[in-house]
Amino acid sequence: MRISTTIFLTDETISPVRLARELEARGFAGLYLPEHTHIPVSRETPYPAGGELPREYARTLDPFVALAQAAAVTERLALGTGITLLAQHDPIALAKQIATLDHLSGGRLTLGIGYGWNREEAADHGVVWSTRRELVRDRLALMRALWAPEPTAYDGEHGHSVRASEVWPKPAGGAPRILLGGAAGPKLFGAVAGQTDGWMPIGGRGLSESLPVLRAAWERAGRDPGHLQIVPYAVLPTPGKLAHYAELGCEETVLQLPPSGEAEVLRVLDAYAAYVG
């Protein structure tokens, strides 16, 4: 099983360049980065994990800029977002960013997407909260139209459309691998099966119960069972936990690093190195 990592990179943590080099040197498979454009101080939405919102949420680096730095100083390290808040982006501009990063990195990008949890942040981007799932579906379809090999028009249901256009570069493989993050449930599993390459479950809890339900939705959508990808995300590892994921057919797990300075992050990487085969 491939062992990747995620971290809230901020202006106070280890740098993307230093971390990427250390990950590749130690044999880790990839680096995934989260996204928040801003955190309104008048926030009413509770932090999903409970308690006070950690400091790093308001200080995150832009994931695509940071991943571009990581790509430039590595050759094999996979790059990913976990997650891109797709409803908060202009899909035409984002499609160009994604295609450029995937092209320049030689096809190393995984696009992790999700619906978000902070209503105030989304509202500042003009997102009507009740429509966020439909917005994500619409904007992803528009991006796929731009990545198509021939000029392809798209007329969406939520105000986004694009004329048939010449647009280059294309992602290295036609489209990056796309994983949907979020809590288990019929709506999420329908979207995974209908729109993406697989599921990115946060923390990886309850997979024994959830995976049969997702696999049934996947097969009902006419998808090849062998193509479903499950990538447990932001995992605090133990040998038993990782062995369990491997038994369930997970080929990659993403371990959580602390949002800390260089010394602490490298100490945790050394501890995690025991899990890298």
Side-chain angles (χ1 to χ4, degrees):
M1 184 167 58
R2 300 189 305 278
I3 301 297
S4 297
T5 61
T6 184
I7 182 174
F8 277 86
L9 284 180
T10 77
D11 56 318
E12 299 177 325
T13 66
I14 188 172
S15 73
V17 166
R18 179 77 166 124
L19 177 57
R21 285 173 168 155
E22 292 294 334
L23 287 170
E24 186 158 270
R26 287 167 164 79
F28 286 89
L31 172 63
Y32 289 74
L33 298 180
E35 173 183 51
H36 284 284
T37 54
H38 65 301
I39 300 293
V41 297
S42 60
R43 186 172 58 84
E44 299 176 4
T45 309
Y47 176 42
E52 291 298 315
L53 185 68
R55 174 185 180 88
E56 59 267 19
Y57 277 74
R59 307 186 76 100
T60 53
L61 303 184
D62 178 276
F64 294 101
V65 175
L67 289 171
Q69 282 202 328
V73 297
T74 57
E75 295 181 354
R76 301 176 303 281
L77 188 72
L79 313 163
T81 59
I83 57 170
T84 296
L85 298 167
L86 186 50
Q88 298 180 184
H89 285 269
D90 176 288
I92 298 175
L94 183 61
K96 173 69 82 171
Q97 283 180 277
I98 291 166
T100 299
L101 179 55
D102 197 53
H103 167 74
L104 291 177
S105 67
R108 288 189 272 158
L109 183 63
T110 290
L111 180 65
I113 62 172
Y115 304 119
W117 59 268
N118 191 312
R119 292 172 181 250
E120 294 75 46
E121 178 186 1
D124 283 349
H125 288 278
V127 176
V128 176
W129 192 249
S130 62
T131 68
R132 69 194 186 285
R133 292 175 181 270
E134 291 77 14
L135 283 172
V136 167
R137 181 186 64 221
D138 205 24
R139 293 177 185 186
L140 181 58
L142 187 150
M143 292 197 301
R144 289 190 185 277
L146 290 171
W147 297 333
E150 300 296 333
T152 302
Y154 181 78
D155 187 11
E157 298 177 3
H158 292 274
H160 283 283
S161 62
V162 66
R163 297 172 176 83
S165 302
E166 293 286 353
V167 53
W168 301 88
K170 304 295 184 185
R177 179 176 68 158
I178 299 174
L179 303 174
L180 181 60
K187 286 185 179 180
L188 185 100
F189 288 166
V192 169
Q195 304 162 38
T196 73
D197 300 302
W199 183 32
M200 187 183 279
I202 306 300
R205 291 182 294 275
L207 285 181
S208 295
E209 296 76 27
S210 299
L211 283 187
V213 181
L214 173 56
R215 288 184 172 125
W218 187 266
E219 293 186 28
R220 283 196 302 272
R223 307 290 297 274
D224 184 334
H227 290 172
L228 174 61
Q229 299 187 48
I230 309 297
V231 181
Y233 189 79
V235 170
L236 297 175
T238 65
K241 189 183 293 187
L242 297 184
H244 176 59
Y245 297 156
E247 289 173 0
L248 291 174
C250 302
E251 296 180 355
E252 179 181 12
T253 297
V254 181
L255 307 186
Q256 182 71 60
L257 294 171
S260 304
E262 184 173 309
E264 175 63 10
V265 171
L266 296 185
R267 183 193 69 78
V268 175
L269 279 185
D270 287 338
Y272 285 175
Y275 302 115
V276 178

